Amino acid sequence: MTATSEPAGEALGARRRLGIGAVIVLVLLAFAVTIGIGMVRGASGAQVVSTASSPSVTVAGPPETGLYAHVAGAVRSPGLYRLEAGDRVADAIALAGGFAENAERAGVNLARAVADGEQIVVPVVGATPDEATGTTSGPAAGGLIDLNTATREQLDTLPRVGPAIADRIIAWRKENGRFTSVDDLGSVPGIGEKMLDGLRDLVRV
Protein backbone atom coordinates (compact mmCIF):
# COMPACT_ATOMS: atom_id res chain seq x y z
CA MET A 1 0.00 0.00 0.00
CA THR A 2 2.78 2.36 0.93
CA ALA A 3 4.91 1.36 -2.06
CA THR A 4 2.08 2.08 -4.50
CA SER A 5 1.27 5.59 -3.23
CA GLU A 6 4.81 6.97 -3.45
CA PRO A 7 5.21 6.55 -7.23
CA ALA A 8 1.79 8.09 -7.73
CA GLY A 9 2.77 11.15 -5.66
CA GLU A 10 5.97 11.61 -7.55
CA ALA A 11 4.15 11.45 -10.88
CA LEU A 12 1.66 14.06 -9.72
CA GLY A 13 4.46 16.43 -8.67
CA ALA A 14 6.16 16.00 -11.99
CA ARG A 15 2.97 16.88 -13.82
CA ARG A 16 2.51 20.03 -11.74
CA ARG A 17 6.05 21.17 -12.42
CA LEU A 18 5.58 20.49 -16.10
CA GLY A 19 2.34 22.52 -16.12
CA ILE A 20 3.96 25.46 -14.33
CA GLY A 21 6.88 25.37 -16.74
CA ALA A 22 4.51 25.35 -19.71
CA VAL A 23 2.63 28.34 -18.32
CA ILE A 24 5.88 30.25 -17.87
CA VAL A 25 6.97 29.42 -21.40
CA LEU A 26 3.63 30.59 -22.77
CA VAL A 27 3.88 33.86 -20.81
CA LEU A 28 7.41 34.48 -22.06
CA LEU A 29 6.36 33.63 -25.60
CA ALA A 30 3.41 36.03 -25.43
CA PHE A 31 5.67 38.79 -24.06
CA ALA A 32 8.18 38.20 -26.85
CA VAL A 33 5.42 38.34 -29.48
CA THR A 34 4.11 41.59 -28.01
CA ILE A 35 7.56 43.18 -28.09
CA GLY A 36 8.10 41.97 -31.65
CA ILE A 37 4.82 43.43 -32.85
CA GLY A 38 5.67 46.77 -31.22
CA MET A 39 9.06 46.86 -32.94
CA VAL A 40 7.52 46.07 -36.33
CA ARG A 41 4.92 48.82 -35.91
CA GLY A 42 7.56 51.32 -34.84
CA ALA A 43 9.69 50.51 -37.88
CA SER A 44 6.87 50.63 -40.40
CA GLY A 45 4.62 53.33 -38.87
CA ALA A 46 4.20 56.54 -40.84
CA GLN A 47 5.63 59.62 -39.22
CA VAL A 48 3.32 62.67 -39.33
CA VAL A 49 5.27 65.86 -39.96
CA SER A 50 3.56 69.17 -39.34
CA THR A 51 4.48 71.59 -42.07
CA ALA A 52 4.01 75.26 -41.35
CA SER A 53 2.77 77.28 -44.28
CA SER A 54 5.64 79.23 -45.75
CA PRO A 55 5.03 82.94 -46.21
CA SER A 56 4.31 83.96 -49.77
CA VAL A 57 7.09 85.84 -51.47
CA THR A 58 6.10 88.80 -53.62
CA VAL A 59 8.46 89.28 -56.50
CA ALA A 60 8.62 92.91 -57.51
CA GLY A 61 8.28 93.40 -61.21
CA PRO A 62 10.41 95.78 -63.21
CA PRO A 63 9.73 99.46 -62.53
CA GLU A 64 7.19 101.03 -64.81
CA THR A 65 8.87 102.75 -67.68
CA GLY A 66 7.58 105.66 -69.68
CA LEU A 67 6.94 109.34 -69.26
CA TYR A 68 4.09 111.83 -69.12
CA ALA A 69 3.57 114.95 -71.17
CA HIS A 70 0.86 117.61 -71.23
CA VAL A 71 -0.26 118.25 -74.79
CA ALA A 72 -2.05 121.58 -75.15
CA GLY A 73 -2.80 124.23 -77.73
CA ALA A 74 -4.17 123.54 -81.18
CA VAL A 75 -4.80 119.79 -80.89
CA ARG A 76 -8.09 117.92 -81.01
CA SER A 77 -7.94 116.42 -77.50
CA PRO A 78 -5.61 118.37 -75.16
CA GLY A 79 -4.64 116.57 -71.98
CA LEU A 80 -2.06 114.54 -70.07
CA TYR A 81 -0.72 111.56 -71.98
CA ARG A 82 1.64 108.70 -71.17
CA LEU A 83 4.35 107.98 -73.73
CA GLU A 84 7.22 105.56 -73.96
CA ALA A 85 10.81 106.64 -73.45
CA GLY A 86 12.19 107.82 -76.77
CA ASP A 87 8.83 108.92 -78.22
CA ARG A 88 8.75 112.10 -80.28
CA VAL A 89 6.52 115.15 -80.30
CA ALA A 90 4.74 113.59 -83.27
CA ASP A 91 3.73 110.64 -81.07
CA ALA A 92 2.38 112.95 -78.37
CA ILE A 93 0.31 114.94 -80.85
CA ALA A 94 -1.05 111.71 -82.34
CA LEU A 95 -2.25 110.63 -78.88
CA ALA A 96 -3.96 114.00 -78.53
CA GLY A 97 -6.02 113.35 -81.65
CA GLY A 98 -3.76 115.18 -84.08
CA PHE A 99 -3.59 118.81 -85.09
CA ALA A 100 -6.63 121.06 -84.85
CA GLU A 101 -7.72 122.98 -87.93
CA ASN A 102 -6.15 126.22 -86.69
CA ALA A 103 -2.80 124.65 -85.76
CA GLU A 104 0.42 126.25 -86.94
CA ARG A 105 2.08 122.99 -87.92
CA ALA A 106 5.31 124.63 -89.03
CA GLY A 107 5.76 125.91 -85.49
CA VAL A 108 6.21 122.41 -84.04
CA ASN A 109 9.33 120.27 -84.22
CA LEU A 110 7.76 116.84 -84.66
CA ALA A 111 11.09 115.03 -84.50
CA ARG A 112 12.06 116.31 -81.05
CA ALA A 113 12.22 113.72 -78.27
CA VAL A 114 9.70 114.24 -75.46
CA ALA A 115 10.95 114.81 -71.91
CA ASP A 116 9.08 113.60 -68.85
CA GLY A 117 6.82 116.26 -67.33
CA GLU A 118 7.02 118.74 -70.19
CA GLN A 119 4.17 120.68 -71.76
CA ILE A 120 3.88 120.53 -75.53
CA VAL A 121 1.90 123.50 -76.77
CA VAL A 122 0.90 123.50 -80.43
CA PRO A 123 0.59 127.14 -81.55
CA VAL A 124 -2.39 128.47 -83.42
CA VAL A 125 -1.98 130.21 -86.74
CA GLY A 126 -0.52 133.65 -86.11
CA ALA A 127 1.22 132.83 -82.82
CA THR A 128 4.97 133.32 -82.44
CA PRO A 129 6.74 129.95 -82.37
CA ASP A 130 9.76 129.25 -80.21
CA GLU A 131 12.31 127.91 -82.66
CA ALA A 132 14.36 126.29 -79.93
CA THR A 133 11.65 124.02 -78.61
CA GLY A 134 9.06 123.87 -81.35
CA THR A 135 6.31 125.13 -79.03
CA THR A 136 4.90 128.53 -78.33
CA SER A 137 7.02 130.55 -75.98
CA GLY A 138 4.55 130.85 -73.14
CA PRO A 139 6.33 129.65 -69.98
CA ALA A 140 9.84 131.04 -69.84
CA ALA A 141 12.66 130.04 -67.56
CA GLY A 142 11.28 130.12 -64.04
CA GLY A 143 7.75 129.26 -65.22
CA LEU A 144 6.66 132.81 -66.19
CA ILE A 145 4.11 133.14 -68.98
CA ASP A 146 4.85 135.66 -71.72
CA LEU A 147 1.77 137.82 -72.22
CA ASN A 148 2.76 138.58 -75.81
CA THR A 149 3.10 134.99 -77.06
CA ALA A 150 1.03 132.84 -74.69
CA THR A 151 -1.82 130.80 -76.10
CA ARG A 152 -5.37 130.73 -74.73
CA GLU A 153 -4.62 127.43 -73.00
CA GLN A 154 -1.50 128.80 -71.32
CA LEU A 155 -3.27 131.91 -70.07
CA ASP A 156 -6.07 129.69 -68.78
CA THR A 157 -3.59 128.05 -66.40
CA LEU A 158 -3.13 131.30 -64.49
CA PRO A 159 -5.11 131.69 -61.25
CA ARG A 160 -8.58 133.22 -61.71
CA VAL A 161 -7.99 133.51 -65.47
CA GLY A 162 -10.59 131.41 -67.24
CA PRO A 163 -11.16 130.98 -70.97
CA ALA A 164 -13.13 134.25 -71.16
CA ILE A 165 -10.37 136.37 -69.59
CA ALA A 166 -7.77 134.57 -71.70
CA ASP A 167 -9.70 135.50 -74.86
CA ARG A 168 -9.85 139.13 -73.70
CA ILE A 169 -6.09 139.22 -73.14
CA ILE A 170 -5.48 137.90 -76.65
CA ALA A 171 -8.05 140.31 -78.10
CA TRP A 172 -6.39 143.27 -76.33
CA ARG A 173 -3.04 142.11 -77.69
CA LYS A 174 -4.39 142.06 -81.25
CA GLU A 175 -6.03 145.47 -80.94
CA ASN A 176 -3.29 147.31 -79.08
CA GLY A 177 -0.11 145.51 -80.02
CA ARG A 178 2.40 144.02 -77.61
CA PHE A 179 2.14 144.37 -73.86
CA THR A 180 4.91 146.74 -72.81
CA SER A 181 4.37 146.17 -69.09
CA VAL A 182 2.59 143.72 -66.84
CA ASP A 183 0.55 146.71 -65.65
CA ASP A 184 -1.08 146.80 -69.10
CA LEU A 185 -3.15 143.83 -67.92
CA GLY A 186 -5.16 146.34 -65.91
CA SER A 187 -6.55 147.63 -69.22
CA VAL A 188 -8.04 144.23 -70.08
CA PRO A 189 -11.77 144.10 -69.26
CA GLY A 190 -12.41 141.90 -66.23
CA ILE A 191 -8.96 142.28 -64.67
CA GLY A 192 -9.02 144.46 -61.58
CA GLU A 193 -6.22 145.66 -59.33
CA LYS A 194 -6.52 142.72 -56.94
CA MET A 195 -6.36 140.18 -59.74
CA LEU A 196 -3.46 142.05 -61.33
CA ASP A 197 -1.49 141.87 -58.08
CA GLY A 198 -1.97 138.11 -58.05
CA LEU A 199 -0.61 137.79 -61.59
CA ARG A 200 2.45 140.04 -61.36
CA ASP A 201 4.82 137.27 -60.27
CA LEU A 202 3.47 134.77 -62.79
CA VAL A 203 3.71 136.63 -66.11
CA ARG A 204 6.24 138.63 -68.07
CA VAL A 205 6.42 140.72 -71.24
Side-chain angles (χ1 to χ4, degrees):
M1 190 69 180
T2 303
T4 304
S5 61
E6 288 181 358
E10 290 177 0
L12 181 60
R15 291 175 183 174
R16 288 179 179 175
R17 287 193 296 271
L18 182 61
I20 293 172
V23 171
I24 294 174
V25 171
L26 290 175
V27 171
L28 292 175
L29 182 60
F31 183 70
V33 171
T34 302
I35 293 176
I37 292 174
M39 292 178 64
V40 171
R41 288 182 178 178
S44 61
Q47 183 179 6
V48 179
V49 179
S50 176
T51 57
S53 59
S54 58
S56 59
V57 178
T58 302
V59 180
E64 183 178 358
T65 59
L67 50 88
Y68 290 88
H70 177 202
V71 185
V75 292
R76 298 184 185 277
S77 301
L80 182 67
Y81 292 94
R82 182 180 182 278
L83 297 97
E84 298 299 328
D87 279 355
R88 307 289 176 168
V89 171
D91 299 311
I93 293 176
L95 289 176
F99 288 110
E101 294 182 359
N102 61 340
E104 180 58 79
R105 304 189 182 198
V108 181
N109 181 3
L110 297 176
R112 181 174 60 82
V114 179
D116 184 37
E118 79 163 290
Q119 183 185 54
I120 301 171
V121 181
V122 178
V124 297
V125 176
T128 303
D130 184 344
E131 297 179 356
T133 62
T135 61
T136 50
S137 56
L144 299 182
I145 289 181
D146 191 329
L147 294 175
N148 292 308
T149 58
T151 64
R152 180 174 184 254
E153 288 76 13
Q154 289 175 320
L155 293 170
D156 190 18
T157 63
L158 293 170
R160 302 179 63 185
V161 176
I165 299 295
D167 288 340
R168 293 173 191 173
I169 293 174
I170 295 175
W172 189 96
R173 191 170 65 196
K174 290 180 179 180
E175 294 175 2
N176 300 278
R178 293 175 58 86
F179 286 92
T180 59
S181 171
V182 174
D183 291 336
D184 290 341
L185 276 176
S187 302
V188 176
I191 299 180
E193 189 65 28
K194 185 176 181 180
M195 184 175 179
L196 178 59
D197 290 341
L199 296 175
R200 289 184 188 279
D201 296 333
L202 303 176
V203 296
R204 70 180 181 92
V205 293

